[in-house]
Amino acid sequence: MSTPKIAIIFYTTYGTNHAMALEAQKAAEAAGAEVRLRRFAETAPDEVVQGQEAWAAQLDKMQDIQEVSHDDMVWADGYFISAPTRYGNMPSQVRAFIDTLGGLWQEGKLVNKTISATTSAQTLHGGHETTLWSLYVSAMHWGCIIVPPGYADPLKFEDGGNPYGYSTQAGGFDETGKRSVAFQAQRLVEVTAKLAG
């Protein structure tokens, strides 16, 4: 089997999804994938970001991580996306990038890529599942193959049990969560390797 190429792409405001992306990167590389870690561009007005010390500090912390590009989307065999929920949906920063992919979609350059996603929300029931669904709906339009964790490992009964993708409360990414993200990333690599091979 060939070495699968995985783009791990995240958006974060205060750091939870950044932490999940780093855990996914470590697990995907350990599973034998070639990985590109990328972040969605921050599109919020600078005065809004700078008006919240924690948000500004997190953005500053990530300046060495490249923003995701169309080249990354074409390069990858599979995508691991981590983004928080906004009113039960993906953040506008993620949507803004997705909305630029029409040309790649029309050329069929996103077809048969794999995808798996994780999320976080401020509350226990703040749109975890619908955020993941919204990401997957876009991916279905591209012709992607969704690789959810399902209940393929007993760990899913310990981590909150979201079969669509790991989710947690903001700031609540614990050791069980790390194991769950690692499992999900490894599963994505394994399935992608089979398809890409």
Side-chain angles (χ1 to χ4, degrees):
M1 284 188 285
S2 62
T3 300
K5 296 177 290 188
I6 303 294
I8 297 175
I9 314 164
F10 71 96
Y11 176 75
T12 198
T13 306
Y14 304 117
T16 302
N17 289 273
H18 181 196
M20 288 195 276
L22 292 175
E23 200 65 31
Q25 178 186 22
K26 184 167 67 174
E29 288 174 344
E34 182 181 349
V35 174
R36 287 186 185 178
L37 179 68
R38 298 291 187 261
R39 63 185 174 94
F40 291 101
E42 182 56 77
T43 59
D46 191 57
E47 62 269 20
V48 173
V49 176
Q50 298 304 320
Q52 295 186 43
E53 188 175 327
W55 191 349
Q58 178 62 39
L59 184 58
D60 186 60
K61 181 179 177 180
M62 303 181 299
Q63 289 307 302
D64 62 331
I65 301 172
Q66 291 182 40
E67 293 177 355
V68 65
S69 69
H70 286 195
D71 176 69
D72 296 315
M73 300 298 287
V74 173
W75 169 85
D77 299 312
Y79 312 120
F80 188 105
I81 297 178
S82 189
T85 182
R86 292 291 184 271
Y87 306 111
N89 210 318
M90 69 182 83
S92 62
Q93 292 85 348
V94 177
R95 184 79 252 169
F97 178 75
I98 287 175
D99 286 348
T100 71
L101 298 176
L104 296 184
W105 166 72
Q106 285 184 321
E107 294 171 25
K109 291 187 176 177
L110 305 176
V111 172
N112 293 335
K113 312 273 189 173
T114 57
I115 187 169
S116 201
T118 59
T119 192
S120 65
Q122 196 65 37
T123 61
L124 281 173
H125 302 287
H128 296 253
E129 293 180 353
T130 54
T131 298
L132 296 173
W133 294 345
S134 71
L135 285 162
Y136 292 154
V137 165
S138 291
M140 284 188 275
H141 281 256
W142 303 338
C144 285
I145 298 159
I146 299 168
V147 184
Y151 293 100
D153 190 287
L155 172 64
K156 293 308 294 176
F157 293 98
E158 299 173 35
D159 73 355
N162 188 336
Y164 312 106
Y166 174 73
S167 64
T168 189
Q169 282 187 272
F173 187 48
D174 58 13
E175 288 304 313
T176 300
K178 289 179 181 179
R179 287 170 41 227
S180 186
V181 166
F183 166 71
Q184 189 170 338
Q186 289 161 359
R187 179 168 156 76
L188 178 68
V189 171
E190 289 168 8
V191 172
T192 306
K194 290 176 182 177
L195 293 169

